[in-house]
Each structure stands twice: as structure tokens, then as C-alpha cells.
Amino acid sequence: MKIGEISQHSAVAVETIRYYEKIGLLPTPERDVSGYRAYRSAHLDRLLFIKRCRNLDMAQDEIRELIRLSENPEADCQQVDELLASHLNHVRERLKELTNLENTLQQLQKACSDAGTVQECGIMGGLSSADLEPSPRDAGDHENHVPGTHKPGKS
């Protein structure tokens, strides 16, 4: 299969496939006589595995670890379970953060007095006040489930 074909079969963009190769999640395929990448069914299987993991919001390091663990199929699956448990804890923490965010946004929306001008807007006043509590990410308390992943964006 050429890259366009594997992209079509997996519904993963060509650029993403190349990126996964570059970072080592997807093995680099051999090249055919004309120089095109020649993907095999194993590449498609790996690509679909990566896609499923990404759909579960797993970080690259988590996926890399799962791939590493899959290379020893006879081993105890305790490490896989631990990785998933860690990811689940991360998801639960993120849900708490999102719930707090939702509550803060609802409070801001209630502050709107339907005044009519931006200057009189309760939402703008709320965003300008120090009454809003910083999120754990702003306070630097946020720990990632895998160190170095899901870093907060730069302001």
C-alpha cells in the first residue's frame, strides 16, 4: 500500500502518518523500486491501534509504552493495567477541572445584567476581577499522568 491508500483505509491524514513515523510510533516502511513507501498490513494494524489510543486521549508516551508492552505478548498484563489506571485517573482529574470550569463560566454568565454596553457588562467585570479562583493548572499544581505530556498551553 502507498501512503494515500493506508491513509484512506485508516482515515488518518497523510501528514499524521508521516509524523507518527518521525516520532517512532509507526515503523518506517520499506521503499518500493520507484521510491514510494510500501506499507504492509502490520502498518495499518499499528496505525489503527494508535488511532484508537488517541481517541481515548492517550498521550504519545502512553501509546509508545503500550506498543513496547505489546512486543512481549506472553508477559503479565499488570503494567498495561497500571498504565490504563493512571490514564483513567488523569481523565477523572480532567473531568473535575472541566466541572470547575463549567461552574465558573456559569457564574460569569449569571453576572450579566443585560445592561446593553460592554462597559456595564457583568461578565466583563467578572473577568477583570480577582474573584475568580485560578485553576490548578494556573497554580502549577497540575501533574500529568505521564510526565511531560498534556502540558498547558503558553499564554
Side-chain angles (χ1 to χ4, degrees):
M1 270 183 287
K2 292 183 180 173
I3 196 164
E5 293 171 293
I6 196 169
S7 172
Q8 197 170 32
H9 286 299
S10 64
V12 174
V14 168
E15 297 81 20
T16 304
I17 295 169
R18 288 188 183 128
Y19 176 71
Y20 289 157
E21 287 175 26
K22 181 180 175 183
I23 64 171
L25 287 180
L26 187 66
T28 304
E30 294 180 16
R31 302 243 178 200
D32 64 16
V33 290
S34 49
Y36 290 104
R37 292 174 175 95
Y39 294 93
R40 308 282 180 238
S41 62
H43 289 99
L44 180 59
D45 292 343
R46 171 73 63 87
L47 191 55
L48 292 172
F49 178 83
I50 294 167
K51 182 179 176 182
R52 289 182 202 111
C53 290
R54 290 298 302 138
N55 286 341
L56 295 172
D57 197 35
M58 289 187 174
Q60 291 172 10
D61 287 342
E62 291 171 313
I63 298 168
R64 189 172 281 109
E65 181 63 9
L66 287 172
I67 290 169
R68 185 190 70 76
L69 292 168
S70 74
E71 291 170 352
N72 188 3
E74 299 301 318
D76 187 318
C77 71
Q78 181 180 356
Q79 289 179 302
V80 175
D81 185 56
E82 289 171 0
L83 189 144
L84 188 63
S86 176
H87 184 67
L88 185 56
N89 285 333
H90 169 75
V91 169
R92 288 176 176 146
E93 286 299 315
R94 188 68 182 123
L95 284 170
K96 288 178 192 174
E97 291 175 5
L98 290 171
T99 299
N100 289 336
L101 175 61
E102 179 184 33
N103 292 337
T104 300
L105 290 170
Q106 286 173 340
Q107 289 172 358
L108 278 172
Q109 194 170 37
K110 287 178 185 175
C112 186
S113 61
D114 296 325
T117 67
V118 172
Q119 183 178 0
E120 300 166 332
C121 180
I123 295 172
M124 295 301 283
L127 290 171
S128 300
S129 79
D131 292 340
L132 294 178
E133 292 185 28
S135 74
R137 287 178 185 230
D138 294 338
D141 296 341
H142 183 74
E143 291 186 29
N144 293 306
H145 55 294
V146 173
T149 61
H150 297 288
K151 292 180 183 176
K154 294 181 181 179
S155 305

